[in-house]
C-alpha cells in the first residue's frame, strides 16, 4: 500500500518517466514529506520574524535580538568542515540527519518553554544558548542531507524535488500566517506565541521519524584520521579547485537575499508601525512567494542552477535598490501600507530561487565524498562571512537601515554576474 502511494506521488510529480529504480518513488516521497515538515518548522521559528517577535514580546534586550539571525544562519555552517570527516566514516548517513533533527526538536522546544516562563536578559540568554544548540544540530543535517539526496535522487530530479517541497510547505505556511494574523488582531497572548514554538519543534521530530525510513545504499567509508590534518587538506580544495573557489566567491555575494530580509521588517515598523498583525502578513507574503515560485525555480535549476542563482539575485538586488530610492526620494510612497508586504513577497520569490539554485548547484558539482567536502567547506566559509557581514549590517542599521539595504544589493549584483559566469554543472 505504501509503495503504491509512493509511486503515485512520484509519477504525479514526474510524468515524463516510466521505468525507475524500485526504491526511487519511496525515497522521493519520504524526502518530500520529511522536508515539508522541517520547512514548516523553520517558518514557525524563523529568527527574522517569529523569534524576533517573541524576544521583543518578553523584553529581551535589542542587542541580543540583533544576534539571533547571524547565530542561527552561521552557526549551522561553521562546524561543517569538521563534521565532514565524521560523516565520511559512516556507511548510512541518514542516521546523522535523524540525530540532528531530534536535537533541533529539543532546542526549539526549550526556546518555547523559556519564552513562556522567563523574560528579560535571562530569557534572552537562554534563547541564544538554545539557538546555538539548534544551529549546531542543523549543521549535522546540512552535511548529511545533501549526500543522502545525491545518493537517492537522480541529478535531473533534485531541483524539481526541492521546488515541490518548498511549494507544498508554502501552503501550510500560508495557513499558519493567516491563523497568526487572526490571533494577533484579536490580541494574541504569550501562551499563543510560546505554543507556536512548541508546535514548530514537533515538526523536526516528525521529520526525523520519516527520514529514518529512507532506503539508502551504503557509502564508501573513510577511516578515522587526524581531524585537523583532514580540515587543512579540505581547505586546500579552495586553492586547488578554481571552479569551486569561484562558486564560493559568487555564493558569498548572494547573501543579500538573506541579510536584507530583517531590514524590510524594520522599515515597515519605522514607517507604518508595530501593529502585531504585520507578523502574520510577512509570513503570508513569504508563504505565497514559495508556493508560486519554488516549482518554477526547481524546473529551471534542473536545466541550469547557476542561471537560477543569477536571476534570483538580480531580482533581490533590484528590489533593494528600488526600496532605497523610494525611502530616500519618494518619501510619500514609504508611508503606503501595502508597499512592505509586497516587497517582502518579491524578496521571498528571489530568496527561494537563490537558496534552491545554490543548493542544487553544489550537489550537482561532484559525487560521493567529494560532494561532502564541497558542501562542508563552502558552508563553513560562508558561515564566517555571514557572521562578519551580519554583525556589520546590524551595527550599520543603527544609523541607516535603507543604506544597508542599498550596499547589500550592490554586492548582490556582482554576485549575480559571477554566478552567471560559472560553468553549467547540469550539462556535465
Amino acid at each position: 500500500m505504501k509503495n503504491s502511494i509512493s509511486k503515485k506521488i512520484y509519477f504525479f510529480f514526474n510524468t515524463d518517466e516510466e521505468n525507475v529504480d524500485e526504491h526511487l518513488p519511496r525515497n522521493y516521497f519520504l524526502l518530500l514529506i520529511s522536508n515539508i515538515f522541517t520547512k514548516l518548522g523553520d517558518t514557525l521559528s524563523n529568527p527574522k520574524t517569529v523569534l524576533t517577535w517573541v524576544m521583543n514580546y518578553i523584553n529581551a534586550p535589542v542587542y541580543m535580538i540583533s544576534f539571533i539571525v547571524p547565530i542561527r544562519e552561521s552557526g549551522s555552517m561553521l562546524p561543517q568542515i569538521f563534521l565532514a570527516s565524521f560523516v565520511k566514516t559512516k556507511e548510512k548517513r541518514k542516521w546523522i540527519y535523524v540525530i540532528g533533527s531530534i536535537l533541533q526538536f529539543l532546542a526549539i522546544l526549550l526556546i518555547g518553554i523559556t519564552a513562556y516562563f522567563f523574560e528579560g536578559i535571562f530569557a534572552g540568554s537562554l534563547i541564544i544558548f538554545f539557538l546555538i544548540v539548534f544551529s549546531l544540530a542543523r549543521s549535522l543535517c546540512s552535511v548529511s542531507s545533501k549526500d543522502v539526496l545525491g545518493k537517492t535522487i537522480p541529478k535531473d530530479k533534485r531541483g524539481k524535488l526541492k521546488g515541490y517541497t518548498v511549494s507544498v510547505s508554502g501552503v501550510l505556511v500560508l495557513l499558519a500566517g493567516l491563523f497568526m494574523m487572526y490571533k494577533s488582531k484579536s490580541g494574541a497572548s504569550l501562551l499563543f506565541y510560546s505554543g507556536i514554538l512548541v508546535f514548530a519543534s514537533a515538526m523536526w521530530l516528525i521529520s526525523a521519524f520519516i527520514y529514518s525510513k529512507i532506503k539508502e545504499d551504503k557509502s564508501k567509508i573513510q577511516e578515522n584520521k587526524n581531524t585537523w590534518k583532514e580540515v587543512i587538506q579540505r581547505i586546500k580544495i579552495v586553492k586547488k579547485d578554481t571552479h569551486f573557489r569561484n562558486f564560493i566567491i559568487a555564493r558569498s555575494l548572494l547573501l543579500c537575499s538573506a541579510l536584507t530580509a530583517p531590514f524590510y521588517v524594520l522599515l515597515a515598523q519605522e514607517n507604518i508601525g508595530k501593529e502585531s498583525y504585520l507578523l502574520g502578513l510577512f509570513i503570508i507574503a513569504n508563504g505565497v512567494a514559495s508556493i508560486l515560485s519554488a516549482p518554477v525555480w526547481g524546473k529551471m535549476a534542473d536545466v541550469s542552477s547557476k542561471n537560477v542563482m543569477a536571476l534570483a539575485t538580480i531580482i533581490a538586488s533590484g528590489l533593494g535598490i528600488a526600496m532605497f530610492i523610494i525611502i530616500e526620494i519618494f518619501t510619500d510612497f514609504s508611508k503606503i501600507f501595502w508597499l512592505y508586504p509586497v516587497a517582502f513577497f518579491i524578496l521571498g520569490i528571489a530568496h527561494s530561487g537563490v537558496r534552491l539554485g545554490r543548493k542544487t548547484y553544489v550537489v550537482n558539482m561532484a559525487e560521493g565524498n567529494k560532494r561532502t567536502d564541497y558542501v562542508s567547506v563552502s558552508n563553513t566559509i560562508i558561515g564566517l562571512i555571514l557572521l562578519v557581514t551580519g554583525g556589520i549590517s546590524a551595527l550599520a542599521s543603527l544609523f541607516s537601515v535603507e543604506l544597508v539595504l542599498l550596499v547589500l544589493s550592490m554586492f548582490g549584483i556582482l554576485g549575480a554576474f559571477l554566478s552567471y559566469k560559472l560553468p553549467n554543472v547540469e550539462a556535465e
Side-chain angles (χ1 to χ4, degrees), residues 152-319:
T152 57
I153 305 297
K155 179 182 286 190
D156 63 343
K157 303 298 177 187
R158 296 167 191 165
K160 190 184 294 184
L161 172 61
K162 288 180 178 292
Y164 285 128
T165 298
V166 175
S167 183
V168 176
S169 61
V171 176
L172 299 178
V173 168
L174 174 60
L175 294 174
L178 287 169
F179 180 66
M180 291 178 71
M181 190 171 69
Y182 168 76
K183 290 294 294 184
S184 296
K185 288 183 71 175
S186 60
S189 65
L190 178 58
L191 178 62
F192 172 76
Y193 290 121
S194 299
I196 288 293
L197 290 170
V198 172
F199 177 80
S201 72
M203 299 301 100
W204 280 280
L205 190 61
I206 296 171
S207 175
F209 174 76
I210 296 172
Y211 207 90
S212 69
K213 303 299 181 181
I214 291 172
K215 296 292 184 181
E216 178 192 2
D217 293 332
K218 292 183 179 180
S219 299
K220 180 181 179 181
I221 63 172
Q222 176 179 290
E223 295 182 1
N224 281 307
K225 297 181 179 180
N226 185 293
T227 302
W228 283 106
K229 187 177 180 181
E230 280 277 288
V231 169
I232 292 172
Q233 288 297 320
R234 204 166 285 127
I235 291 176
K236 287 182 179 179
I237 298 174
V238 180
K239 181 179 179 181
K240 296 178 181 179
D241 193 327
T242 303
H243 180 188
F244 181 53
R245 182 172 65 251
N246 290 339
F247 167 72
I248 291 179
I249 294 171
R251 182 184 169 185
S252 67
L253 293 168
L254 304 185
L255 292 173
C256 68
S257 67
L259 290 175
T260 55
F263 299 112
Y264 286 89
V265 177
L266 288 175
L267 286 173
Q269 291 177 331
E270 287 181 1
N271 293 284
I272 305 299
K274 297 183 179 180
E275 288 80 3
S276 57
Y277 62 85
L278 278 174
L279 174 61
L281 280 177
F282 280 119
I283 291 175
I284 290 171
N286 197 51
V288 173
S290 296
I291 295 169
L292 297 178
S293 67
V296 178
W297 290 130
K299 291 178 182 178
M300 291 173 63
D302 285 333
V303 177
S304 178
S305 53
K306 60 107 174 180
N307 285 349
V308 169
M309 292 159 58
L311 177 59
T313 308
I314 283 292
I315 294 173
S317 298
L319 175 67

Side-chain angles (χ1 to χ4, degrees), residues 303-424:
V303 177
S304 178
S305 53
K306 60 107 174 180
N307 285 349
V308 169
M309 292 159 58
L311 177 59
T313 308
I314 283 292
I315 294 173
S317 298
L319 175 67
I321 294 170
M323 288 297 292
F324 173 81
I325 293 173
I326 290 172
I327 299 298
E328 287 292 317
I329 300 175
F330 302 102
T331 54
D332 289 341
F333 287 100
S334 67
K335 303 298 181 181
I336 297 176
F337 170 78
W338 52 261
L339 173 66
Y340 302 97
V342 169
F344 208 71
F345 167 74
I346 297 172
L347 182 66
I349 290 176
H351 186 56
S352 178
V354 172
R355 283 176 58 86
L356 199 149
R358 55 99 171 161
K359 285 184 177 182
T360 303
Y361 193 90
V362 74
V363 170
N364 291 345
M365 278 178 71
E367 301 291 336
N369 285 335
K370 190 174 183 181
R371 180 193 296 118
T372 305
D373 287 338
Y374 277 178
V375 171
S376 61
V377 173
S378 63
N379 282 348
T380 296
I381 293 174
I382 294 300
L384 284 170
I385 294 172
L386 183 61
L387 194 61
V388 173
T389 307
I392 294 173
S393 298
L395 181 63
S397 67
L398 298 175
F399 302 96
S400 175
V401 173
E402 54 271 25
L403 181 60
V404 177
L405 202 61
L406 176 65
V407 173
L408 290 173
S409 297
M410 297 302 292
F411 280 120
I413 291 176
L414 177 59
F417 173 76
L418 294 179
S419 296
Y420 180 75
K421 299 293 288 184
L422 290 171
N424 191 349

